[in-house]
Amino acid sequence: MNFKTPKLTVVGAGPGDIDLITIKAIKVLKKADVVLYDALVNEELLSYINPEAEQIFVGKRRGCYKYQQEQINELIVARAKTHGHVVRLKGGDPFIFGRGAEEMEFAAGFGIETAMVPGISSSLAVPAYQNIPVTKRGSAESFWVITGTTKEHKLSNDVALAAKSNATVVVLMGMGKLPEIIQLFQQENKNNLPVAIIQNGTRSNEKVGVGTVDTILDVVKEQELSNPAIIILGDVVKHRAILANVQQEYANI
């Protein structure tokens, strides 16, 4: 019989590079009784899990769902009551389009103790790994992080608002809506605005495509870029090339 206190801890696994998970997250994984993990989690991180813990893959790959969200919620509650400490391991940061808050709220409704360990968000870390700062003095004073697809499977209205601003715009889960996104920026006469698309960010199989609003669709086609990928629109994308040029000039001195 299980005498452990039912508990859910939602843990951010970071953007992909296994070194970008936090020490606190690793400590929690070592104490877990059950770990439910998503497709965007680097499976090398599973080596940190308590060897006696049950591991359950609940993610989706290429549109194929292993579990629906309602089933995941019910699984969390069921395993917490029978096993004790359930860790929900999610890519990036679970509170940034990760549904971590929803899962915690559902579990709390059954009297289950909840906790959260933040993760390094892909919206910041993936551009940074390619020397693209989301803010830079003289280029961008702010940034938007927007989901490309809402729960109604439509493009977020916030993208149109962001296109009117001078801020850096980072779009997650937006590759399927890329033509619509580009059209909104073209309507704002931002045809020459730099754009970067980073697939499998921070991982060994990372791919990067850089262009402008007018050229990025061709870049995507030529380089065969697809999900999972992050879209960055803004003058800050230029920093990548500027830094490379400075480094090359120094090397030639």
Side-chain angles (χ1 to χ4, degrees), residues 2 6 20 22 25 33 60-61 63 78 86 88 94 99 117 121-122 158 169-170 176 181 183 200-201 222 228 232 246:
N2 174 48
L20 292 179
T22 65
D33 296 308
K60 65 176 180 177
R61 291 194 175 100
V86 175
R88 183 71 171 94
R99 306 190 76 168
V117 178
S121 174
S122 59
D158 286 348
V169 181
V170 180
I181 294 169
Q183 186 176 30
N200 294 315
E222 290 168 4
I232 307 108
V246 172

mmCIF file with all atom_site columns, all heavy atoms in Angstrom, residues 2 6 20 22 25 33 60-61 63 78 86 88 94 99 117 121-122 158 169-170 176 181 183 200-201 222 228 232 246:
data_model
loop_
_atom_site.group_PDB
_atom_site.id
_atom_site.type_symbol
_atom_site.label_atom_id
_atom_site.label_alt_id
_atom_site.label_comp_id
_atom_site.label_asym_id
_atom_site.label_entity_id
_atom_site.label_seq_id
_atom_site.pdbx_PDB_ins_code
_atom_site.Cartn_x
_atom_site.Cartn_y
_atom_site.Cartn_z
_atom_site.occupancy
_atom_site.B_iso_or_equiv
_atom_site.pdbx_formal_charge
_atom_site.auth_seq_id
_atom_site.auth_comp_id
_atom_site.auth_asym_id
_atom_site.auth_atom_id
_atom_site.pdbx_PDB_model_num
ATOM 1   N N   . ASN A 1 2   ? 0.466  2.260  -0.732  1.00 0.00 ? 2   ASN A N   1
ATOM 2   C CA  . ASN A 1 2   ? 1.253  3.479  -0.837  1.00 0.00 ? 2   ASN A CA  1
ATOM 3   C C   . ASN A 1 2   ? 0.895  4.453  0.280   1.00 0.00 ? 2   ASN A C   1
ATOM 4   O O   . ASN A 1 2   ? -0.264 4.793  0.476   1.00 0.00 ? 2   ASN A O   1
ATOM 5   C CB  . ASN A 1 2   ? 0.991  4.150  -2.193  1.00 0.00 ? 2   ASN A CB  1
ATOM 6   C CG  . ASN A 1 2   ? 1.682  5.499  -2.306  1.00 0.00 ? 2   ASN A CG  1
ATOM 7   O OD1 . ASN A 1 2   ? 2.859  5.595  -1.993  1.00 0.00 ? 2   ASN A OD1 1
ATOM 8   N ND2 . ASN A 1 2   ? 0.948  6.500  -2.738  1.00 0.00 ? 2   ASN A ND2 1
ATOM 9   N N   . PRO A 1 6   ? 0.558  12.330 -2.094  1.00 0.00 ? 6   PRO A N   1
ATOM 10  C CA  . PRO A 1 6   ? 0.409  12.640 -3.525  1.00 0.00 ? 6   PRO A CA  1
ATOM 11  C C   . PRO A 1 6   ? 0.937  14.039 -3.831  1.00 0.00 ? 6   PRO A C   1
ATOM 12  O O   . PRO A 1 6   ? 0.610  15.001 -3.134  1.00 0.00 ? 6   PRO A O   1
ATOM 13  C CB  . PRO A 1 6   ? -1.105 12.570 -3.741  1.00 0.00 ? 6   PRO A CB  1
ATOM 14  C CG  . PRO A 1 6   ? -1.621 11.733 -2.624  1.00 0.00 ? 6   PRO A CG  1
ATOM 15  C CD  . PRO A 1 6   ? -0.732 12.049 -1.452  1.00 0.00 ? 6   PRO A CD  1
ATOM 16  N N   . LEU A 1 20  ? 21.394 22.569 -20.257 1.00 0.00 ? 20  LEU A N   1
ATOM 17  C CA  . LEU A 1 20  ? 20.565 23.723 -19.941 1.00 0.00 ? 20  LEU A CA  1
ATOM 18  C C   . LEU A 1 20  ? 19.388 23.384 -19.036 1.00 0.00 ? 20  LEU A C   1
ATOM 19  O O   . LEU A 1 20  ? 18.448 24.159 -18.922 1.00 0.00 ? 20  LEU A O   1
ATOM 20  C CB  . LEU A 1 20  ? 20.061 24.396 -21.226 1.00 0.00 ? 20  LEU A CB  1
ATOM 21  C CG  . LEU A 1 20  ? 21.136 25.083 -22.060 1.00 0.00 ? 20  LEU A CG  1
ATOM 22  C CD1 . LEU A 1 20  ? 20.530 25.692 -23.319 1.00 0.00 ? 20  LEU A CD1 1
ATOM 23  C CD2 . LEU A 1 20  ? 21.851 26.161 -21.250 1.00 0.00 ? 20  LEU A CD2 1
ATOM 24  N N   . THR A 1 22  ? 18.185 22.842 -15.081 1.00 0.00 ? 22  THR A N   1
ATOM 25  C CA  . THR A 1 22  ? 18.677 23.406 -13.828 1.00 0.00 ? 22  THR A CA  1
ATOM 26  C C   . THR A 1 22  ? 19.055 22.308 -12.833 1.00 0.00 ? 22  THR A C   1
ATOM 27  O O   . THR A 1 22  ? 18.571 21.170 -12.920 1.00 0.00 ? 22  THR A O   1
ATOM 28  C CB  . THR A 1 22  ? 17.626 24.317 -13.178 1.00 0.00 ? 22  THR A CB  1
ATOM 29  O OG1 . THR A 1 22  ? 16.495 23.525 -12.804 1.00 0.00 ? 22  THR A OG1 1
ATOM 30  C CG2 . THR A 1 22  ? 17.189 25.423 -14.129 1.00 0.00 ? 22  THR A CG2 1
ATOM 31  N N   . ALA A 1 25  ? 16.031 21.061 -11.043 1.00 0.00 ? 25  ALA A N   1
ATOM 32  C CA  . ALA A 1 25  ? 15.248 20.107 -11.826 1.00 0.00 ? 25  ALA A CA  1
ATOM 33  C C   . ALA A 1 25  ? 15.827 18.699 -11.699 1.00 0.00 ? 25  ALA A C   1
ATOM 34  O O   . ALA A 1 25  ? 15.082 17.721 -11.544 1.00 0.00 ? 25  ALA A O   1
ATOM 35  C CB  . ALA A 1 25  ? 15.213 20.538 -13.289 1.00 0.00 ? 25  ALA A CB  1
ATOM 36  N N   . ASP A 1 33  ? 8.718  9.501  -8.234  1.00 0.00 ? 33  ASP A N   1
ATOM 37  C CA  . ASP A 1 33  ? 8.174  8.147  -8.261  1.00 0.00 ? 33  ASP A CA  1
ATOM 38  C C   . ASP A 1 33  ? 7.640  7.813  -9.651  1.00 0.00 ? 33  ASP A C   1
ATOM 39  O O   . ASP A 1 33  ? 7.635  6.659  -10.061 1.00 0.00 ? 33  ASP A O   1
ATOM 40  C CB  . ASP A 1 33  ? 7.049  8.020  -7.227  1.00 0.00 ? 33  ASP A CB  1
ATOM 41  C CG  . ASP A 1 33  ? 7.558  8.202  -5.798  1.00 0.00 ? 33  ASP A CG  1
ATOM 42  O OD1 . ASP A 1 33  ? 8.524  7.517  -5.433  1.00 0.00 ? 33  ASP A OD1 1
ATOM 43  O OD2 . ASP A 1 33  ? 7.008  9.047  -5.069  1.00 0.00 ? 33  ASP A OD2 1
ATOM 44  N N   . LYS A 1 60  ? 3.694  14.186 -28.179 1.00 0.00 ? 60  LYS A N   1
ATOM 45  C CA  . LYS A 1 60  ? 3.189  13.936 -29.523 1.00 0.00 ? 60  LYS A CA  1
ATOM 46  C C   . LYS A 1 60  ? 4.333  14.101 -30.507 1.00 0.00 ? 60  LYS A C   1
ATOM 47  O O   . LYS A 1 60  ? 5.235  14.906 -30.314 1.00 0.00 ? 60  LYS A O   1
ATOM 48  C CB  . LYS A 1 60  ? 2.052  14.889 -29.880 1.00 0.00 ? 60  LYS A CB  1
ATOM 49  C CG  . LYS A 1 60  ? 2.439  16.357 -29.960 1.00 0.00 ? 60  LYS A CG  1
ATOM 50  C CD  . LYS A 1 60  ? 1.271  17.195 -30.425 1.00 0.00 ? 60  LYS A CD  1
ATOM 51  C CE  . LYS A 1 60  ? 1.670  18.665 -30.508 1.00 0.00 ? 60  LYS A CE  1
ATOM 52  N NZ  . LYS A 1 60  ? 0.580  19.510 -31.021 1.00 0.00 ? 60  LYS A NZ  1
ATOM 53  N N   . ARG A 1 61  ? 4.280  13.318 -31.563 1.00 0.00 ? 61  ARG A N   1
ATOM 54  C CA  . ARG A 1 61  ? 5.280  13.401 -32.628 1.00 0.00 ? 61  ARG A CA  1
ATOM 55  C C   . ARG A 1 61  ? 4.559  13.390 -33.960 1.00 0.00 ? 61  ARG A C   1
ATOM 56  O O   . ARG A 1 61  ? 3.751  12.508 -34.234 1.00 0.00 ? 61  ARG A O   1
ATOM 57  C CB  . ARG A 1 61  ? 6.270  12.231 -32.545 1.00 0.00 ? 61  ARG A CB  1
ATOM 58  C CG  . ARG A 1 61  ? 7.193  12.287 -31.320 1.00 0.00 ? 61  ARG A CG  1
ATOM 59  C CD  . ARG A 1 61  ? 8.349  11.316 -31.463 1.00 0.00 ? 61  ARG A CD  1
ATOM 60  N NE  . ARG A 1 61  ? 9.305  11.441 -30.374 1.00 0.00 ? 61  ARG A NE  1
ATOM 61  C CZ  . ARG A 1 61  ? 9.351  10.624 -29.324 1.00 0.00 ? 61  ARG A CZ  1
ATOM 62  N NH1 . ARG A 1 61  ? 8.496  9.636  -29.230 1.00 0.00 ? 61  ARG A NH1 1
ATOM 63  N NH2 . ARG A 1 61  ? 10.269 10.789 -28.386 1.00 0.00 ? 61  ARG A NH2 1
ATOM 64  N N   . GLY A 1 63  ? 2.198  15.175 -35.099 1.00 0.00 ? 63  GLY A N   1
ATOM 65  C CA  . GLY A 1 63  ? 0.751  15.257 -35.000 1.00 0.00 ? 63  GLY A CA  1
ATOM 66  C C   . GLY A 1 63  ? 0.092  14.040 -34.388 1.00 0.00 ? 63  GLY A C   1
ATOM 67  O O   . GLY A 1 63  ? -1.126 13.985 -34.262 1.00 0.00 ? 63  GLY A O   1
ATOM 68  N N   . ALA A 1 78  ? -4.133 10.055 -11.047 1.00 0.00 ? 78  ALA A N   1
ATOM 69  C CA  . ALA A 1 78  ? -4.153 8.628  -10.709 1.00 0.00 ? 78  ALA A CA  1
ATOM 70  C C   . ALA A 1 78  ? -2.799 8.160  -10.175 1.00 0.00 ? 78  ALA A C   1
ATOM 71  O O   . ALA A 1 78  ? -2.712 7.461  -9.158  1.00 0.00 ? 78  ALA A O   1
ATOM 72  C CB  . ALA A 1 78  ? -4.555 7.809  -11.935 1.00 0.00 ? 78  ALA A CB  1
ATOM 73  N N   . VAL A 1 86  ? 4.664  12.655 -8.584  1.00 0.00 ? 86  VAL A N   1
ATOM 74  C CA  . VAL A 1 86  ? 4.656  12.656 -10.044 1.00 0.00 ? 86  VAL A CA  1
ATOM 75  C C   . VAL A 1 86  ? 5.398  13.887 -10.544 1.00 0.00 ? 86  VAL A C   1
ATOM 76  O O   . VAL A 1 86  ? 5.103  15.009 -10.113 1.00 0.00 ? 86  VAL A O   1
ATOM 77  C CB  . VAL A 1 86  ? 3.223  12.663 -10.604 1.00 0.00 ? 86  VAL A CB  1
ATOM 78  C CG1 . VAL A 1 86  ? 3.232  12.799 -12.124 1.00 0.00 ? 86  VAL A CG1 1
ATOM 79  C CG2 . VAL A 1 86  ? 2.479  11.403 -10.192 1.00 0.00 ? 86  VAL A CG2 1
ATOM 80  N N   . ARG A 1 88  ? 6.155  16.072 -13.878 1.00 0.00 ? 88  ARG A N   1
ATOM 81  C CA  . ARG A 1 88  ? 5.731  16.326 -15.262 1.00 0.00 ? 88  ARG A CA  1
ATOM 82  C C   . ARG A 1 88  ? 6.860  17.090 -15.933 1.00 0.00 ? 88  ARG A C   1
ATOM 83  O O   . ARG A 1 88  ? 7.053  18.292 -15.698 1.00 0.00 ? 88  ARG A O   1
ATOM 84  C CB  . ARG A 1 88  ? 4.437  17.144 -15.232 1.00 0.00 ? 88  ARG A CB  1
ATOM 85  C CG  . ARG A 1 88  ? 3.856  17.413 -16.606 1.00 0.00 ? 88  ARG A CG  1
ATOM 86  C CD  . ARG A 1 88  ? 3.281  16.147 -17.229 1.00 0.00 ? 88  ARG A CD  1
ATOM 87  N NE  . ARG A 1 88  ? 2.558  16.512 -18.450 1.00 0.00 ? 88  ARG A NE  1
ATOM 88  C CZ  . ARG A 1 88  ? 3.086  16.499 -19.660 1.00 0.00 ? 88  ARG A CZ  1
ATOM 89  N NH1 . ARG A 1 88  ? 4.351  16.115 -19.821 1.00 0.00 ? 88  ARG A NH1 1
ATOM 90  N NH2 . ARG A 1 88  ? 2.380  16.846 -20.705 1.00 0.00 ? 88  ARG A NH2 1
ATOM 91  N N   . PRO A 1 94  ? 7.641  25.355 -18.552 1.00 0.00 ? 94  PRO A N   1
ATOM 92  C CA  . PRO A 1 94  ? 6.252  24.868 -18.600 1.00 0.00 ? 94  PRO A CA  1
ATOM 93  C C   . PRO A 1 94  ? 5.188  25.950 -18.521 1.00 0.00 ? 94  PRO A C   1
ATOM 94  O O   . PRO A 1 94  ? 4.025  25.678 -18.816 1.00 0.00 ? 94  PRO A O   1
ATOM 95  C CB  . PRO A 1 94  ? 6.163  23.954 -17.366 1.00 0.00 ? 94  PRO A CB  1
ATOM 96  C CG  . PRO A 1 94  ? 7.569  23.580 -17.054 1.00 0.00 ? 94  PRO A CG  1
ATOM 97  C CD  . PRO A 1 94  ? 8.377  24.783 -17.419 1.00 0.00 ? 94  PRO A CD  1
ATOM 98  N N   . ARG A 1 99  ? 1.293  24.546 -20.863 1.00 0.00 ? 99  ARG A N   1
ATOM 99  C CA  . ARG A 1 99  ? 0.120  23.975 -20.203 1.00 0.00 ? 99  ARG A CA  1
ATOM 100 C C   . ARG A 1 99  ? 0.429  23.445 -18.806 1.00 0.00 ? 99  ARG A C   1
ATOM 101 O O   . ARG A 1 99  ? -0.370 22.705 -18.210 1.00 0.00 ? 99  ARG A O   1
ATOM 102 C CB  . ARG A 1 99  ? -0.529 22.882 -21.064 1.00 0.00 ? 99  ARG A CB  1
ATOM 103 C CG  . ARG A 1 99  ? -0.860 23.366 -22.465 1.00 0.00 ? 99  ARG A CG  1
ATOM 104 C CD  . ARG A 1 99  ? -1.699 22.398 -23.256 1.00 0.00 ? 99  ARG A CD  1
ATOM 105 N NE  . ARG A 1 99  ? -3.087 22.412 -22.825 1.00 0.00 ? 99  ARG A NE  1
ATOM 106 C CZ  . ARG A 1 99  ? -4.079 21.835 -23.507 1.00 0.00 ? 99  ARG A CZ  1
ATOM 107 N NH1 . ARG A 1 99  ? -3.813 21.212 -24.647 1.00 0.00 ? 99  ARG A NH1 1
ATOM 108 N NH2 . ARG A 1 99  ? -5.314 21.866 -23.064 1.00 0.00 ? 99  ARG A NH2 1
ATOM 109 N N   . VAL A 1 117 ? 9.134  23.882 -11.045 1.00 0.00 ? 117 VAL A N   1
ATOM 110 C CA  . VAL A 1 117 ? 10.545 24.218 -11.223 1.00 0.00 ? 117 VAL A CA  1
ATOM 111 C C   . VAL A 1 117 ? 10.683 24.861 -12.605 1.00 0.00 ? 117 VAL A C   1
ATOM 112 O O   . VAL A 1 117 ? 10.510 24.186 -13.624 1.00 0.00 ? 117 VAL A O   1
ATOM 113 C CB  . VAL A 1 117 ? 11.440 22.972 -11.123 1.00 0.00 ? 117 VAL A CB  1
ATOM 114 C CG1 . VAL A 1 117 ? 12.905 23.365 -11.366 1.00 0.00 ? 117 VAL A CG1 1
ATOM 115 C CG2 . VAL A 1 117 ? 11.283 22.299 -9.778  1.00 0.00 ? 117 VAL A CG2 1
ATOM 116 N N   . SER A 1 121 ? 13.602 28.997 -21.074 1.00 0.00 ? 121 SER A N   1
ATOM 117 C CA  . SER A 1 121 ? 12.672 29.016 -22.202 1.00 0.00 ? 121 SER A CA  1
ATOM 118 C C   . SER A 1 121 ? 13.403 29.017 -23.541 1.00 0.00 ? 121 SER A C   1
ATOM 119 O O   . SER A 1 121 ? 14.381 29.736 -23.739 1.00 0.00 ? 121 SER A O   1
ATOM 120 C CB  . SER A 1 121 ? 11.767 30.249 -22.118 1.00 0.00 ? 121 SER A CB  1
ATOM 121 O OG  . SER A 1 121 ? 10.968 30.355 -23.276 1.00 0.00 ? 121 SER A OG  1
ATOM 122 N N   . SER A 1 122 ? 12.884 28.231 -24.458 1.00 0.00 ? 122 SER A N   1
ATOM 123 C CA  . SER A 1 122 ? 13.441 28.201 -25.812 1.00 0.00 ? 122 SER A CA  1
ATOM 124 C C   . SER A 1 122 ? 13.297 29.545 -26.507 1.00 0.00 ? 122 SER A C   1
ATOM 125 O O   . SER A 1 122 ? 14.081 29.878 -27.398 1.00 0.00 ? 122 SER A O   1
ATOM 126 C CB  . SER A 1 122 ? 12.752 27.122 -26.641 1.00 0.00 ? 122 SER A CB  1
ATOM 127 O OG  . SER A 1 122 ? 11.358 27.358 -26.711 1.00 0.00 ? 122 SER A OG  1
ATOM 128 N N   . ASP A 1 158 ? -2.417 38.443 -31.818 1.00 0.00 ? 158 ASP A N   1
ATOM 129 C CA  . ASP A 1 158 ? -1.312 39.243 -31.298 1.00 0.00 ? 158 ASP A CA  1
ATOM 130 C C   . ASP A 1 158 ? -0.192 39.416 -32.314 1.00 0.00 ? 158 ASP A C   1
ATOM 131 O O   . ASP A 1 158 ? 0.587  40.370 -32.226 1.00 0.00 ? 158 ASP A O   1
ATOM 132 C CB  . ASP A 1 158 ? -0.749 38.622 -30.020 1.00 0.00 ? 158 ASP A CB  1
ATOM 133 C CG  . ASP A 1 158 ? -1.662 38.833 -28.820 1.00 0.00 ? 158 ASP A CG  1
ATOM 134 O OD1 . ASP A 1 158 ? -2.604 39.642 -28.933 1.00 0.00 ? 158 ASP A OD1 1
ATOM 135 O OD2 . ASP A 1 158 ? -1.436 38.191 -27.780 1.00 0.00 ? 158 ASP A OD2 1
ATOM 136 N N   . VAL A 1 169 ? 10.051 40.045 -32.405 1.00 0.00 ? 169 VAL A N   1
ATOM 137 C CA  . VAL A 1 169 ? 8.912  39.131 -32.317 1.00 0.00 ? 169 VAL A CA  1
ATOM 138 C C   . VAL A 1 169 ? 9.424  37.698 -32.404 1.00 0.00 ? 169 VAL A C   1
ATOM 139 O O   . VAL A 1 169 ? 10.075 37.321 -33.385 1.00 0.00 ? 169 VAL A O   1
ATOM 140 C CB  . VAL A 1 169 ? 7.880  39.400 -33.429 1.00 0.00 ? 169 VAL A CB  1
ATOM 141 C CG1 . VAL A 1 169 ? 6.690  38.435 -33.295 1.00 0.00 ? 169 VAL A CG1 1
ATOM 142 C CG2 . VAL A 1 169 ? 7.407  40.843 -33.377 1.00 0.00 ? 169 VAL A CG2 1
ATOM 143 N N   . VAL A 1 170 ? 9.155  36.932 -31.367 1.00 0.00 ? 170 VAL A N   1
ATOM 144 C CA  . VAL A 1 170 ? 9.535  35.521 -31.327 1.00 0.00 ? 170 VAL A CA  1
ATOM 145 C C   . VAL A 1 170 ? 8.253  34.700 -31.372 1.00 0.00 ? 170 VAL A C   1
ATOM 146 O O   . VAL A 1 170 ? 7.382  34.865 -30.527 1.00 0.00 ? 170 VAL A O   1
ATOM 147 C CB  . VAL A 1 170 ? 10.330 35.190 -30.049 1.00 0.00 ? 170 VAL A CB  1
ATOM 148 C CG1 . VAL A 1 170 ? 10.719 33.711 -30.029 1.00 0.00 ? 170 VAL A CG1 1
ATOM 149 C CG2 . VAL A 1 170 ? 11.566 36.077 -29.930 1.00 0.00 ? 170 VAL A CG2 1
ATOM 150 N N   . GLY A 1 176 ? 3.663  26.229 -39.206 1.00 0.00 ? 176 GLY A N   1
ATOM 151 C CA  . GLY A 1 176 ? 2.497  25.943 -40.022 1.00 0.00 ? 176 GLY A CA  1
ATOM 152 C C   . GLY A 1 176 ? 1.740  27.186 -40.453 1.00 0.00 ? 176 GLY A C   1
ATOM 153 O O   . GLY A 1 176 ? 0.945  27.151 -41.400 1.00 0.00 ? 176 GLY A O   1
ATOM 154 N N   . ILE A 1 181 ? 2.023  34.697 -41.196 1.00 0.00 ? 181 ILE A N   1
ATOM 155 C CA  . ILE A 1 181 ? 2.841  35.608 -40.396 1.00 0.00 ? 181 ILE A CA  1
ATOM 156 C C   . ILE A 1 181 ? 3.582  36.580 -41.304 1.00 0.00 ? 181 ILE A C   1
ATOM 157 O O   . ILE A 1 181 ? 3.596  37.799 -41.061 1.00 0.00 ? 181 ILE A O   1
ATOM 158 C CB  . ILE A 1 181 ? 3.836  34.804 -39.525 1.00 0.00 ? 181 ILE A CB  1
ATOM 159 C CG1 . ILE A 1 181 ? 3.073  33.987 -38.476 1.00 0.00 ? 181 ILE A CG1 1
ATOM 160 C CG2 . ILE A 1 181 ? 4.843  35.738 -38.851 1.00 0.00 ? 181 ILE A CG2 1
ATOM 161 C CD1 . ILE A 1 181 ? 3.923  32.965 -37.756 1.00 0.00 ? 181 ILE A CD1 1
ATOM 162 N N   . GLN A 1 183 ? 2.865  37.514 -44.300 1.00 0.00 ? 183 GLN A N   1
ATOM 163 C CA  . GLN A 1 183 ? 1.928  38.429 -44.951 1.00 0.00 ? 183 GLN A CA  1
ATOM 164 C C   . GLN A 1 183 ? 1.587  39.609 -44.042 1.00 0.00 ? 183 GLN A C   1
ATOM 165 O O   . GLN A 1 183 ? 1.486  40.753 -44.506 1.00 0.00 ? 183 GLN A O   1
ATOM 166 C CB  . GLN A 1 183 ? 0.652  37.685 -45.339 1.00 0.00 ? 183 GLN A CB  1
ATOM 167 C CG  . GLN A 1 183 ? -0.329 38.533 -46.148 1.00 0.00 ? 183 GLN A CG  1
ATOM 168 C CD  . GLN A 1 183 ? -1.539 37.742 -46.597 1.00 0.00 ? 183 GLN A CD  1
ATOM 169 O OE1 . GLN A 1 183 ? -1.962 36.803 -45.918 1.00 0.00 ? 183 GLN A OE1 1
ATOM 170 N NE2 . GLN A 1 183 ? -2.093 38.088 -47.742 1.00 0.00 ? 183 GLN A NE2 1
ATOM 171 N N   . ASN A 1 200 ? 15.239 22.740 -34.118 1.00 0.00 ? 200 ASN A N   1
ATOM 172 C CA  . ASN A 1 200 ? 15.950 21.914 -33.130 1.00 0.00 ? 200 ASN A CA  1
ATOM 173 C C   . ASN A 1 200 ? 17.000 22.727 -32.386 1.00 0.00 ? 200 ASN A C   1
ATOM 174 O O   . ASN A 1 200 ? 18.154 22.312 -32.220 1.00 0.00 ? 200 ASN A O   1
ATOM 175 C CB  . ASN A 1 200 ? 16.599 20.696 -33.802 1.00 0.00 ? 200 ASN A CB  1
ATOM 176 C CG  . ASN A 1 200 ? 15.582 19.719 -34.354 1.00 0.00 ? 200 ASN A CG  1
ATOM 177 O OD1 . ASN A 1 200 ? 14.601 19.401 -33.689 1.00 0.00 ? 200 ASN A OD1 1
ATOM 178 N ND2 . ASN A 1 200 ? 15.797 19.258 -35.571 1.00 0.00 ? 200 ASN A ND2 1
ATOM 179 N N   . GLY A 1 201 ? 16.589 23.896 -31.929 1.00 0.00 ? 201 GLY A N   1
ATOM 180 C CA  . GLY A 1 201 ? 17.511 24.819 -31.281 1.00 0.00 ? 201 GLY A CA  1
ATOM 181 C C   . GLY A 1 201 ? 18.261 24.240 -30.099 1.00 0.00 ? 201 GLY A C   1
ATOM 182 O O   . GLY A 1 201 ? 17.689 23.524 -29.281 1.00 0.00 ? 201 GLY A O   1
ATOM 183 N N   . GLU A 1 222 ? 14.384 25.987 -49.358 1.00 0.00 ? 222 GLU A N   1
ATOM 184 C CA  . GLU A 1 222 ? 15.718 25.557 -49.794 1.00 0.00 ? 222 GLU A CA  1
ATOM 185 C C   . GLU A 1 222 ? 16.416 24.719 -48.727 1.00 0.00 ? 222 GLU A C   1
ATOM 186 O O   . GLU A 1 222 ? 17.079 23.732 -49.035 1.00 0.00 ? 222 GLU A O   1
ATOM 187 C CB  . GLU A 1 222 ? 16.573 26.776 -50.133 1.00 0.00 ? 222 GLU A CB  1
ATOM 188 C CG  . GLU A 1 222 ? 16.124 27.514 -51.395 1.00 0.00 ? 222 GLU A CG  1
ATOM 189 C CD  . GLU A 1 222 ? 16.796 28.867 -51.544 1.00 0.00 ? 222 GLU A CD  1
ATOM 190 O OE1 . GLU A 1 222 ? 17.669 29.190 -50.711 1.00 0.00 ? 222 GLU A OE1 1
ATOM 191 O OE2 . GLU A 1 222 ? 16.439 29.597 -52.482 1.00 0.00 ? 222 GLU A OE2 1
ATOM 192 N N   . PRO A 1 228 ? 10.377 20.927 -34.982 1.00 0.00 ? 228 PRO A N   1
ATOM 193 C CA  . PRO A 1 228 ? 10.146 22.067 -34.087 1.00 0.00 ? 228 PRO A CA  1
ATOM 194 C C   . PRO A 1 228 ? 11.111 23.209 -34.397 1.00 0.00 ? 228 PRO A C   1
ATOM 195 O O   . PRO A 1 228 ? 12.319 22.996 -34.510 1.00 0.00 ? 228 PRO A O   1
ATOM 196 C CB  . PRO A 1 228 ? 10.430 21.477 -32.703 1.00 0.00 ? 228 PRO A CB  1
ATOM 197 C CG  . PRO A 1 228 ? 11.429 20.395 -32.963 1.00 0.00 ? 228 PRO A CG  1
ATOM 198 C CD  . PRO A 1 228 ? 11.098 19.827 -34.316 1.00 0.00 ? 228 PRO A CD  1
ATOM 199 N N   . ILE A 1 232 ? 12.146 34.161 -35.436 1.00 0.00 ? 232 ILE A N   1
ATOM 200 C CA  . ILE A 1 232 ? 12.532 35.443 -34.834 1.00 0.00 ? 232 ILE A CA  1
ATOM 201 C C   . ILE A 1 232 ? 12.500 36.506 -35.911 1.00 0.00 ? 232 ILE A C   1
ATOM 202 O O   . ILE A 1 232 ? 13.166 36.369 -36.952 1.00 0.00 ? 232 ILE A O   1
ATOM 203 C CB  . ILE A 1 232 ? 13.944 35.388 -34.204 1.00 0.00 ? 232 ILE A CB  1
ATOM 204 C CG1 . ILE A 1 232 ? 14.060 34.224 -33.219 1.00 0.00 ? 232 ILE A CG1 1
ATOM 205 C CG2 . ILE A 1 232 ? 14.270 36.705 -33.501 1.00 0.00 ? 232 ILE A CG2 1
ATOM 206 C CD1 . ILE A 1 232 ? 14.907 33.096 -33.699 1.00 0.00 ? 232 ILE A CD1 1
ATOM 207 N N   . VAL A 1 246 ? 32.939 41.052 -37.000 1.00 0.00 ? 246 VAL A N   1
ATOM 208 C CA  . VAL A 1 246 ? 33.920 41.626 -36.063 1.00 0.00 ? 246 VAL A CA  1
ATOM 209 C C   . VAL A 1 246 ? 34.968 40.604 -35.696 1.00 0.00 ? 246 VAL A C   1
ATOM 210 O O   . VAL A 1 246 ? 36.178 40.890 -35.669 1.00 0.00 ? 246 VAL A O   1
ATOM 211 C CB  . VAL A 1 246 ? 33.199 42.165 -34.821 1.00 0.00 ? 246 VAL A CB  1
ATOM 212 C CG1 . VAL A 1 246 ? 34.228 42.573 -33.748 1.00 0.00 ? 246 VAL A CG1 1
ATOM 213 C CG2 . VAL A 1 246 ? 32.300 43.343 -35.160 1.00 0.00 ? 246 VAL A CG2 1
#
